[in-house]
Amino acid sequence: FNTTFSLSFLFFFFTPEVTINYRHGLPVITLMLPTRSERCQFTVKPVVTTVGSFLQDVQREDKGIEKAEVFATDGSKVSDSTLMEVLLMNDFKLVINSTTYNVSPPVKDKLSSEHATEMEDIKSLVHRLFVALHLEDHQIRKERELLQKLDHLKEELLPLEQMKARIMDSADAKTSRLLWVGLALMSTQGGALAWLTWWVYSWDIMEPVTYFITYGSAMAFYAYFVLTKQDYIYPHAKDRQFLHYFYRKSKKQHFNVERYNKLKDDLAEAEESLRRLRQPLHLRLPIQEINDKD
């Protein structure tokens, strides 16, 4: 009895706490649960199961596990999205709470090239079947997400659009007034020069005056080009003055132009995504789903 007990104790003590065996072609990971102090087996599907899902299964089995992570032998953390098939190709470290286990997966027999090709073809076929079966559900779910995003963006844009419309009306009115003031000044200047030429002085006296007025105007246009790096073209000058009034009014009323532009870009992107999504969606959905959406 003592000998049997000692052998059992030694076997339990020296048995690796994380072992991997293959049963019916699937890896079975056996590890010691820290809280329950008992060994538990986890059968994983290497092609489908990820590292993250495996760790979640371990934590669900033992509620006392607060942290479970997997690291490579060089100390780099293994991503949760990594497939178990990739993980089991090399040695790794399993960290449960504060305990680290060195795991050495058994070496599998290398498959022949023909068998490996068949396996890859099967994996590709399974992937295509999965996509074909779940594509419509994914598209419907994606469309609902885009519609919710559109509603949220339009909600945020509504007060900004109203504020922008008021600011644009004000800036347009000021720009129009400035243009009419310029026309009035030019008309006044022409009338004054005509009055001085024919009723007060003669053309011999007014000719140098008109020359210097023309030369001063040319200097003003050249100064405009130097400051703005643009030719003085009336539509461009009007738009520039309009933007000047618009941004000055926006600053006074705390209208965030950058945020407005960002929301407009997001709205256009969401609408384009919805348009591209609905092109194949109407071809694949049942009539009932299309009517419900409309």
Side-chain angles (χ1 to χ4, degrees), residues 39-294:
R39 300 180 67 79
C40 185
Q41 294 181 346
F42 297 89
T43 302
V44 298
K45 299 177 181 178
V47 181
V48 179
T49 307
T50 61
V51 172
S53 59
F54 166 68
L55 295 178
Q56 289 177 0
D57 291 341
V58 174
Q59 289 180 308
R60 278 196 296 267
E61 191 66 27
D62 190 344
K63 302 300 183 181
I65 298 177
E66 299 178 357
K67 182 181 68 172
E69 295 175 315
V70 174
F71 294 87
T73 53
D74 59 357
S76 58
K77 187 177 185 299
V78 179
S79 172
D80 290 344
S81 60
T82 304
L83 290 175
M84 292 296 294
E85 182 182 26
V86 178
L87 179 67
L88 296 177
M89 291 181 179
N90 301 299
D91 296 348
F92 60 91
K93 296 180 180 180
L94 176 62
V95 178
I96 298 178
N97 291 341
S98 59
T99 307
T100 302
Y101 305 102
N102 294 318
V103 185
S104 298
V107 180
K108 293 182 65 178
D109 295 334
K110 293 185 178 179
L111 300 175
S112 64
S113 59
E114 295 181 358
H115 188 56
T117 304
E118 291 178 0
M119 290 297 294
E120 291 298 327
D121 292 341
I122 292 174
K123 291 179 184 178
S124 177
L125 178 60
V126 170
H127 177 71
R128 289 198 300 269
L129 288 174
F130 179 83
V131 171
L133 292 173
H134 296 81
L135 180 60
E136 293 180 1
D137 294 337
H138 171 72
Q139 287 180 319
I140 295 172
R141 184 171 63 254
K142 191 66 178 177
E143 185 190 23
R144 289 172 181 169
E145 292 176 0
L146 287 173
L147 289 174
Q148 291 177 356
K149 184 178 180 181
L150 283 173
D151 292 339
H152 179 68
L153 289 173
K154 289 178 181 178
E155 244 179 70
E156 288 191 68
L157 276 170
L158 182 60
L160 295 178
E161 291 282 7
Q162 295 173 350
M163 185 181 295
K164 179 196 170 188
R166 292 194 298 268
I167 295 174
M168 287 184 66
D169 291 341
S170 176
D172 187 64
K174 286 186 177 181
T175 304
S176 298
R177 282 198 299 268
L178 183 63
L179 294 177
W180 284 106
V181 168
L183 178 62
L185 290 176
M186 292 178 66
S187 302
T188 303
Q189 175 182 303
L193 291 175
W195 178 69
L196 291 173
T197 300
W198 284 302
W199 279 277
V200 180
Y201 305 107
S202 64
W203 175 246
D204 294 336
I205 296 175
M206 293 303 299
E207 184 178 7
V209 176
T210 57
Y211 170 77
F212 283 109
I213 290 176
T214 304
Y215 184 76
S217 301
M219 288 182 61
F221 294 148
Y222 183 73
Y224 177 86
F225 171 76
V226 171
L227 294 174
T228 64
K229 303 299 184 295
Q230 295 178 353
D231 292 334
Y232 189 82
I233 302 175
Y234 290 119
H236 295 173
K238 176 181 177 295
D239 293 339
R240 186 179 182 84
Q241 193 61 38
F242 171 82
L243 290 176
H244 173 71
Y245 286 138
F246 179 82
Y247 278 96
R248 190 170 68 178
K249 190 76 171 178
S250 299
K251 188 175 181 181
K252 286 183 180 179
Q253 296 193 7
H254 305 289
F255 177 74
N256 193 334
V257 179
E258 293 181 357
R259 180 169 175 267
Y260 173 81
N261 291 334
K262 178 67 168 55
L263 290 174
K264 290 291 286 185
D265 292 340
D266 293 343
L267 181 65
E269 183 180 353
E271 288 177 345
E272 177 64 18
S273 299
L274 185 61
R275 185 189 66 80
R276 294 177 60 187
L277 182 67
R278 278 179 168 175
Q279 287 178 353
L281 191 61
H282 280 281
L283 298 176
R284 302 178 68 90
L285 277 182
I287 299 297
Q288 182 63 35
E289 290 288 345
I290 298 176
N291 293 336
D292 291 345
K293 290 197 291 76
D294 293 339

